Amino acid sequence: MAHVAVRTGARMAANVVAADEGGLLRQVLGGTAFERLVLDGDLQVLTIAGHACTPEETTATSPEVLDYELDIAADDLRTRVVRTEVQAVDGNDTSGLTQARAVVGAGRGVGSENGFGEVLELVDHLGGALGVSRVVTGLGWRPHAEQVGQTGSRISPDVYIACGISGAIQHMAGIEGAKTLIAINTDEESTMVQRADYAIIGDLHEVVGAVNEEIRSRRG
């Protein structure tokens, strides 16, 4: 879209979350702040921040079509899908991370590359997806495809369970669309615990292990 704006000489704003007669409101600094701005010109190019609005069915009988002549070669803006790759790691389908209704997040608190057993079992019980912090991918414990945050996926599940994640600004920007946030952490002063709707102070392995046991018991 930035390319289109440059080629047409139009004004552009990215990560817009709202628009009214006073102008546009957009996210900046990884979603940690907002900027109000007004764009000049009849033609404006905008991109909408993920999860900024809920799609609604239009009441219009037909869409309004605006004709605009682009001085661009016929094939200049065309794209084609070369191939689609679905990456599954330990049974976790990373392609469904942004669509999952339940996401279990794991951070440095898991302890090691082999510390995801309880978390992955909970993911399986919930029929959800695993998301991890940047620290986890940086240590090489899990692939980048599972990373949630400013430099990973931005998600909006019904519930996000953060296990052993302190809550860095970049990670919080990626989960701001979550409807319910549950934190499991030993540090009651962490950002994640302070921002959570519900928090459990304790070792994630003990807490998640107990939850898994209770789920197994109830399901017989």
Side-chain angles (χ1 to χ4, degrees), residues 168-180:
I169 292 176
Q170 294 82 355
H171 191 81
M172 300 307 293
I175 64 170
E176 62 184 354
K179 297 178 178 61
T180 300

Side-chain angles (χ1 to χ4, degrees), residues 17-210:
V17 297
D20 53 35
E21 294 179 354
L24 305 171
L25 185 67
R26 76 185 193 102
Q27 294 178 349
V28 294
L29 301 177
T32 60
F34 293 93
E35 177 184 54
R36 171 72 71 172
L37 72 160
V38 177
L39 299 184
D40 298 327
D42 296 330
L43 180 65
Q44 300 175 3
V45 179
L46 310 177
T47 63
I48 308 301
H51 321 304
C53 58
T54 302
E56 296 181 3
E57 185 175 353
T58 178
T59 57
T61 54
S62 60
E64 180 182 2
V65 178
L66 301 178
D67 291 326
Y68 192 86
E69 217 172 287
L70 299 179
D71 184 21
I72 299 175
D75 294 331
D76 194 33
L77 296 178
R78 291 185 179 180
T79 60
R80 63 192 178 91
V81 177
V82 177
R83 65 181 181 273
T84 300
E85 296 182 0
V86 177
Q87 183 177 11
V89 183
D90 294 345
N92 183 44
D93 183 357
T94 57
S95 66
L97 180 58
T98 56
Q99 284 77 42
R101 296 182 60 185
V103 175
V104 182
R108 188 197 298 269
V110 298
S112 70
E113 185 176 1
N114 300 318
F116 292 85
E118 294 94 349
V119 173
L120 286 169
E121 182 181 348
L122 181 57
V123 169
D124 184 58
H125 286 317
L126 298 178
L130 173 68
V132 300
S133 66
R134 184 188 61 80
V135 173
V136 168
T137 60
L139 290 170
W141 293 352
R142 302 293 297 187
H144 181 269
E146 295 177 340
Q147 183 177 321
V148 172
Q150 185 179 351
T151 55
S153 297
R154 292 175 181 256
I155 60 175
S156 57
D158 291 339
V159 60
Y160 180 67
I161 305 174
C163 304
I165 300 177
S166 61
I169 292 176
Q170 294 82 355
H171 191 81
M172 300 307 293
I175 64 170
E176 62 184 354
K179 297 178 178 61
T180 300
L181 174 58
I182 301 174
I184 302 173
N185 206 296
T186 56
D187 182 8
E188 61 184 34
E189 300 298 327
S190 68
T191 301
M192 188 65 73
V193 169
Q194 296 298 315
R195 294 275 297 274
D197 297 294
Y198 305 94
I200 302 172
I201 307 303
D203 179 83
L204 75 89
H205 296 290
E206 295 179 4
V207 174
V208 177

